[in-house]
Amino acid sequence: MELATRYDPKEIEGPIYQAWEESGAFQPPDPEHSSGKAFTIVIPPPNVTGVLHMGHALNGVIQDIVIRHRRKDGFDALWLPGTDHAGIATQAVVEKKLFAEEKKTRKDLGRDAFLERVWRWKEEHGNIILRQYRSLGASCDWSRTAFTMDPDLSRAVRVAFTRLWEKGLIYRGSRLVNWDCVLQTAVSDDEIEYVQRKGKLWYIKYPLESDPNAFVVVATTRPETMLGDTGVAVHPDDARYGKLVGSHCILPFLDRKIPIVADDTVDPEFGTGAVKVTPGHDPADYERGARHGLPIVNILEKDGKISAAGGAFAGLSREEARKRIVAELEEKELLEKIEDITHNISLSDRSKSPIEPLVSEQWFVKMKPLAEPAIGALKEGALTFRPERWSKVYLHWLENVRDWCISRQLWWGHQIPVWYDEDDVPVASVDELEVGAPHPKTQKPIVRRDPDVLDTWASSWLWPMATLGWPDLEATDLRRFYPTQFLSTAQEIIYLWVARMVMAGYAFMDDREGGEKNPFSTCYIHATVLDAKGKRMSKSAGNGVDPLDLIDEFGADAVRFSLVLMTKEGQDVRLAPDRIEQGSRFCNKIWNAARFVMMNMAGERSDELVALEDRWILSRLKRTRDEVSQALDDYRFNDAATALYRFVWNDFCDWYVEMAKSRLLGDDGPSAAAARGTLARVLKDSLGLLHPFTPFITERLWQALHETLGEAPASALIHAPWPDGQGIAVDDAAESEMTILQELVGSVRRVRALTLIGERKPLDAIVAAPREADRAILERHAESARALGHLASLEIHASTERPPSSAVAVAGAVETFVPLGSDVDLDNLKEVLDNRCKKVGAAIEQLEKKLGNEKFVNRADPDVVASERARRGELGVELELLERNLAGF
């Protein structure tokens, strides 16, 4: 299996993925071949309307690393994929398409015909994102792909609803909800985006009941909502209004008498310190109104027009009403002033229209009884978060949970399984009830089904259970793969999805004898991928990076490895496409090293360790294997990738391969045989360790290596056992000895960099090593030192004077002097070093100022502070070296 001279990911990634998928490599073994230990991940189901973005890519890589590691580690590993029907998003897409192509609305088609259109669209476009996941190398069990509106999952939704209904945890009532006036439905918090806009703050005078010529002035950004005011609130400690609390003022236009109340939530610094209270159209006012018993006046129709409660303004749009009201306030001299401001407004994520808080009759779930066991899961250790700080977000939401509005005024989604008789008596049922059939409770004819559908989260909260067969507690997959062990998701949906899944686990797996109810033991909150300037990526900002473009340019392995190298736990990622080049260079390094190994395998191979470098590289391999295994067990992906990068690039390629070359080019004796044996072992284990991160290149090289060695691999690398470290051990003595040699060679390389001497120009080196043990090591390995350092000569002394016109480098207790030849312009060199000294000194001064700032040290990420301190140390060493060399010239 000949390897190409250059690594080309396009040549190997497609065929390898196809071979994996066709061979069933992503599926866990059948029950009869089970290892007895399962490891399950369920993918956070992307919307069927979605396409792969960088957040998906990072999360997909993280999950794939975990499942590939567990698969190789002997687990029955299942990564279950699927998509979410995304009610409001999908309906909006199809409605837009329908109007654009046929100038029709969904109401023109009718419910059944419109839903046929949506299903047709889903079949054509709904799996695009799953196909894109394949490009990333995702090893999902595609045979188990689920969709939240599959028949089995739909039945699970009806079962869950009915059980909550029977327990008295579902009710219908009027509450303040987020309302989209364009789509005419309630929407959830995650379907809202907050946008900063320029606006105005109007100061309106409300006449006092006791004196029509005296006023209380309120400031508002939405003057049209004054039509729904039922009070004015001030802070109880605000002396300006103390005498007015308990009195009344008159609402302009409607002449409604409204009370002035004292409320602790009012900010005395905002506007005049007096705020209008509109319980029907503002969440804060809804709470204030409830505390003070203020009535709710709804001034908006479902389409956003002013209702009859708006008096003379009824029938106007929100925008028209605002203009008319402001004009008439000016005319009546009730508008004190107008200020220009910048403020956040909430927009519907789909229609982009302003969200209106609106009191509407909806279906709700009582959340407090469901929240208690979910709180216990965290406090008792059944659930852990990585990073741990996200547990506070989870806990805060659960401890302050409000009832959940689960109904949406849409057609696409799980229609609420409630039917009514002629007296409007409701009943919930898992099975379809026919209109005209007797009502199960009243025996009167059923006349209609509730037209609303459930919030999308009311199906996805069942995802870990329903995808595995719930509500059938005896389902094979449910018994075998539930609970799952690992969930990776975004911080934005900790309470929208994560907390609700935990609630559902405890609420609906309560009949499972002895089994764990909590749906996952670890919730990993992945980083947010930002652009190079630290801004969130979005279509509107035009700063998005398409992961498929990166894969096309660099290959999936390069993208995967780069993302993990960039992502430290707890820190967001600043991504620029050129940062992917690091992963690309690393893949090329692996490829070239593997080619070198395979090209030099002709001849005997031996496990005998005849040279220091053999003992050293196998010791480093053992340490790296243990470090990477532990990091992956702890879900420290960046630590694992960094350890592998350093080992493969630095230890193996830069040191061991270079040292082995001379042995392989010499006599074909025991030394060459040992080098070949060591190269083969290190490459094999390295490919195994790298596989979860760079699966394509490692699979290709694994097959090629075994063919080169004349061995038939027991399995593809995806199923080959995780390297167990057998037959190798940590050798502290070899590592210590090698460190002395590396420090000497490193000193020579630093002198070359310092003096701008070519890296292969032969130099003389004079070493002062006061410790006898160090001298003995250097003398033993002088030949290797000369070869690696490209030295013409090497002298080793206990002590020596610094030769004239020589450069110096220090490593530990060893000083290395390099006499400079006549071809080196010392005056120019001194000028270069002097300028470098000034730059390094300025950088140190800037860092010290930064590290001396208590606000930075206390508020910045601890890893950032540690990195800056390490950088300060490195610059200090560099400055000392520069000054020492300058002083000696």
Side-chain angles (χ1 to χ4, degrees):
M1 189 182 287
E2 186 177 342
L3 287 180
T5 305
R6 292 178 58 82
Y7 170 56
D8 184 358
K10 291 181 180 178
E11 290 292 319
I12 69 168
E13 290 182 354
I16 286 175
Y17 195 90
Q18 184 178 352
W20 280 334
E21 191 167 2
E22 289 178 353
S23 69
F26 304 153
Q27 299 171 18
D30 294 332
E32 56 266 26
H33 299 107
S34 172
S35 66
K37 52 180 185 177
F39 193 97
T40 314
I41 301 174
V42 290
I43 200 170
N47 290 351
V48 289
T49 57
V51 293
L52 200 71
H53 58 58
M54 289 309 306
H56 291 132
L58 174 60
N59 197 19
V61 169
I62 287 169
Q63 293 171 86
D64 198 44
I65 288 171
V66 173
I67 209 68
R68 286 180 183 271
H69 171 230
R70 295 303 186 188
R71 188 183 289 125
K72 291 175 68 62
D73 209 20
F75 286 83
D76 296 348
L78 169 62
W79 183 14
L80 195 151
T83 51
D84 190 287
H85 66 280
I88 191 169
T90 306
Q91 179 164 315
V93 167
V94 178
E95 282 196 85
K96 186 177 180 180
K97 183 174 184 288
L98 178 65
F99 190 79
E101 294 177 357
E102 303 178 35
K103 296 293 184 287
K104 291 181 178 179
T105 68
R106 62 183 164 110
K107 292 180 180 177
D108 293 330
L109 292 185
R111 186 166 191 148
D112 291 343
F114 177 74
L115 289 178
E116 283 182 20
R117 295 287 187 98
V118 183
W119 276 108
R120 196 185 312 159
W121 182 93
K122 184 265 176 188
E123 293 306 315
E124 292 175 4
H125 306 282
N127 290 320
I128 289 175
I129 193 166
L130 297 184
R131 291 196 293 272
Q132 292 172 332
Y133 265 109
R134 287 170 163 86
S135 301
L136 197 63
S139 59
C140 300
D141 181 354
W142 301 110
S143 69
R144 284 177 164 89
T145 300
F147 176 55
T148 50
M149 286 183 63
D150 284 341
D152 288 347
L153 274 70
S154 293
R155 184 175 188 280
V157 170
R158 297 193 301 273
V159 169
F161 185 98
T162 304
R163 288 190 184 178
L164 292 176
W165 170 281
E166 291 168 350
K167 292 178 180 178
L169 295 178
I170 284 186
Y171 65 93
R172 188 167 174 84
S174 294
R175 294 286 187 279
L176 195 71
V177 297
N178 302 312
W179 188 262
D180 183 324
C181 296
V182 173
L183 298 176
Q184 295 190 32
T185 180
V187 297
S188 61
D189 291 339
D190 73 305
E191 293 163 333
I192 296 174
E193 59 178 289
Y194 295 92
V195 180
Q196 198 171 71
R197 294 268 177 91
K198 290 181 179 179
K200 296 186 183 298
L201 189 62
W202 287 271
Y203 288 75
I204 304 172
K205 298 190 288 188
Y206 286 13
L208 298 178
E209 180 191 29
S210 59
D211 182 359
N213 295 316
F215 306 91
V216 59
V217 180
V218 299
T220 181
T221 59
R222 304 179 65 213
E224 67 278 10
T225 62
M226 67 179 290
L227 302 173
D229 287 1
T230 56
V232 169
V234 299
H235 195 278
D237 298 333
D238 194 332
R240 294 172 295 177
Y241 301 107
K243 294 181 179 179
L244 293 181
V245 174
S247 66
H248 292 77
C249 57
I250 305 299
L251 182 67
F253 305 125
L254 298 175
D255 294 331
R256 186 159 61 233
K257 184 173 74 171
I258 57 178
I260 300 172
V261 299
D263 194 278
D264 289 329
T265 63
V266 176
D267 179 5
E269 304 299 319
F270 175 77
T272 63
V275 296
K276 56 195 283 303
V277 181
T278 320
H281 300 286
D282 182 275
D285 289 351
Y286 184 82
E287 299 295 333
R288 288 177 182 136
R291 282 193 293 273
H292 298 283
L294 302 179
I296 294 173
V297 175
N298 190 347
I299 61 148
L300 289 178
E301 301 288 359
K302 302 298 185 188
D303 61 1
K305 291 182 179 179
I306 303 298
S307 70
F313 303 99
L316 297 178
S317 69
R318 292 166 289 175
E319 297 76 16
E320 291 169 340
R322 178 177 294 185
K323 291 177 184 177
R324 283 266 305 272
I325 286 170
V326 169
E328 293 193 25
L329 285 171
E330 287 182 312
E331 186 180 322
K332 295 176 180 292
E333 297 184 349
L334 293 177
L335 192 62
E336 185 174 89
K337 62 177 179 176
I338 305 173
E339 290 179 351
D340 291 325
I341 61 168
T342 300
H343 63 140
N344 285 331
I345 65 168
S346 54
L347 299 179
S348 168
D349 183 45
R350 298 301 163 186
S351 70
K352 304 303 178 186
S353 64
I355 285 293
E356 289 292 347
L358 194 70
V359 173
S360 175
E361 191 174 29
Q362 303 286 343
W363 287 97
F364 294 87
V365 175
K366 295 178 183 178
M367 296 293 272
K368 286 193 180 297
L370 300 176
E372 290 173 6
I375 292 171
L378 182 72
K379 291 186 174 181
E380 294 164 15
L383 170 65
T384 58
F385 278 84
R386 299 284 313 228
E388 192 277 333
R389 70 173 185 272
W390 293 111
S391 62
K392 296 176 183 176
V393 175
Y394 170 90
L395 204 57
H396 179 267
W397 185 76
L398 286 172
E399 290 177 341
N400 297 276
V401 72
R402 297 181 181 184
D403 287 355
W404 174 16
C405 174
I406 56 168
S407 50
R408 298 290 181 268
Q409 289 63 54
L410 302 171
W411 287 354
W412 173 247
H414 297 280
Q415 191 170 353
I416 290 175
V418 170
W419 286 260
Y420 301 87
D421 68 5
E422 57 193 22
D423 296 326
D424 240 21
V425 176
V427 64
S429 173
V430 173
D431 299 316
E432 187 88 13
L433 299 181
E434 296 293 332
V435 172
H439 189 287
K441 290 187 176 180
T442 67
Q443 302 305 310
K444 293 183 178 180
I446 290 174
V447 295
R448 66 185 180 93
R449 183 177 181 177
D450 196 294
D452 290 352
V453 300
L454 289 166
D455 177 13
T456 295
W457 301 108
S459 55
S460 56
W461 77 324
L462 305 174
W463 187 249
M465 304 180 304
T467 53
L468 295 172
W470 186 88
D472 179 4
L473 295 180
E474 297 304 313
T476 300
D477 276 2
L478 189 69
R479 293 180 64 85
R480 187 177 174 197
F481 294 111
Y482 187 94
T484 73
Q485 284 68 45
F486 180 80
L487 174 77
S488 178
T489 191
Q491 63 191 59
E492 294 88 355
I493 54 176
I494 290 174
Y495 63 89
L496 290 166
W497 189 46
V498 176
R500 286 172 176 163
M501 282 191 289
V502 179
M503 290 182 186
Y506 282 95
F508 302 122
M509 294 296 288
D510 55 355
D511 295 332
R512 190 185 193 209
E513 292 183 12
E516 176 59 56
K517 299 174 179 60
N518 184 42
F520 36 81
S521 49
T522 298
C523 179
Y524 183 92
I525 304 299
H526 66 73
T528 300
V529 183
L530 310 173
D531 71 7
K533 297 179 181 178
K535 295 182 179 178
R536 275 184 173 268
M537 293 184 183
S538 68
K539 289 182 182 177
S540 57
N543 63 344
V545 177
D546 188 338
L548 296 179
D549 290 343
L550 296 179
I551 291 171
D552 185 62
E553 182 176 358
F554 299 105
D557 285 338
V559 172
R560 291 167 64 109
F561 200 77
S562 298
L563 282 174
V564 179
L565 275 185
M566 282 187 267
T567 308
K568 291 187 177 180
E569 185 175 303
Q571 296 182 23
D572 289 338
V573 182
R574 292 192 177 201
L575 176 69
D578 58 2
R579 293 192 68 182
I580 304 297
E581 291 177 4
Q582 184 178 14
S584 180
R585 290 192 297 269
F586 184 59
C587 288
N588 285 324
K589 192 83 167 179
I590 297 168
W591 186 267
N592 292 333
R595 284 190 73 248
F596 170 81
V597 172
M598 290 180 224
M599 289 168 62
N600 286 279
M601 283 296 106
E604 294 294 324
R605 294 193 306 277
S606 167
D607 293 335
E608 187 178 353
L609 308 180
V610 301
L612 166 66
E613 58 265 27
D614 298 337
R615 293 164 49 216
W616 169 77
I617 194 64
L618 292 177
S619 178
R620 290 290 304 126
L621 175 61
K622 181 65 165 67
R623 282 192 194 276
T624 303
R625 181 265 169 208
D626 293 348
E627 185 179 348
V628 170
S629 299
Q630 189 61 57
L632 289 179
D633 285 345
D634 295 340
Y635 306 121
R636 292 181 287 108
F637 307 107
N638 175 267
D639 289 350
T642 301
L644 281 168
Y645 183 89
R646 288 173 179 163
F647 173 76
V648 172
W649 191 295
N650 298 338
D651 296 342
F652 186 51
C653 296
D654 284 358
W655 287 98
Y656 186 76
V657 168
E658 290 303 313
M659 295 178 79
K661 283 179 180 178
S662 60
R663 296 162 62 188
L664 294 168
L665 295 173
D667 294 335
D668 191 15
S671 179
R676 280 192 286 270
T678 303
L679 283 167
R681 171 64 190 266
V682 174
L683 181 58
K684 273 186 184 179
D685 281 18
S686 296
L687 294 176
L689 295 170
L690 283 165
H691 179 77
F693 301 88
T694 54
F696 292 108
I697 190 172
T698 52
E699 185 71 78
R700 175 70 175 85
L701 294 175
W702 176 263
Q703 302 296 332
L705 177 60
H706 281 79
E707 184 168 312
T708 300
L709 297 176
E711 302 172 355
S715 64
L717 180 57
I718 190 173
H719 282 299
W722 183 249
D724 58 11
Q726 291 296 311
I728 57 175
V730 170
D731 187 333
D732 291 322
E735 291 194 35
S736 178
E737 203 165 325
M738 188 67 180
T739 298
I740 301 296
L741 176 59
Q742 288 176 312
E743 287 177 345
L744 169 58
V745 175
S747 292
V748 174
R749 289 173 178 171
R750 283 195 296 277
V751 166
R752 289 182 185 276
L754 195 70
T755 57
L756 308 179
I757 296 173
E759 64 180 37
R760 293 187 178 273
K761 178 184 176 181
L763 297 175
D764 298 319
I766 303 164
V767 174
R771 292 198 292 257
E772 184 178 351
D774 292 348
R775 290 198 303 278
I777 291 169
L778 292 175
E779 286 166 355
R780 248 192 332 268
H781 303 293
E783 184 178 343
S784 293
R786 282 193 291 270
L788 292 167
H790 299 288
L791 298 175
S793 67
L794 174 62
E795 298 178 21
I796 302 166
H797 306 280
S799 63
T800 186
E801 292 294 325
R802 178 177 180 178
S805 301
S806 65
V808 62
V810 181
V814 177
E815 289 182 301
T816 303
F817 303 106
V818 178
L820 302 177
S822 58
D823 57 334
V824 175
D825 185 337
L826 289 179
D827 290 334
N828 180 62
L829 180 58
K830 282 191 281 188
E831 184 179 349
V832 170
L833 297 185
D834 187 55
N835 288 334
R836 180 62 186 159
C837 267
K838 290 174 182 175
K839 287 182 179 179
V840 173
I844 289 174
E845 185 178 346
Q846 188 175 3
L847 271 174
E848 287 180 338
K849 184 177 180 181
K850 191 175 186 179
L851 291 168
N853 184 335
E854 287 188 14
K855 287 185 178 179
F856 168 75
V857 173
N858 293 332
R859 294 180 183 177
D861 189 287
D863 286 343
V864 174
V865 176
S867 176
E868 295 289 65
R869 284 180 174 147
R871 176 66 179 148
R872 167 63 183 87
E874 291 166 2
L875 289 174
V877 172
E878 183 179 354
L879 184 61
E880 183 181 352
L881 179 63
L882 287 164
E883 290 175 341
R884 183 160 186 184
N885 275 280
L886 275 170
F889 287 149

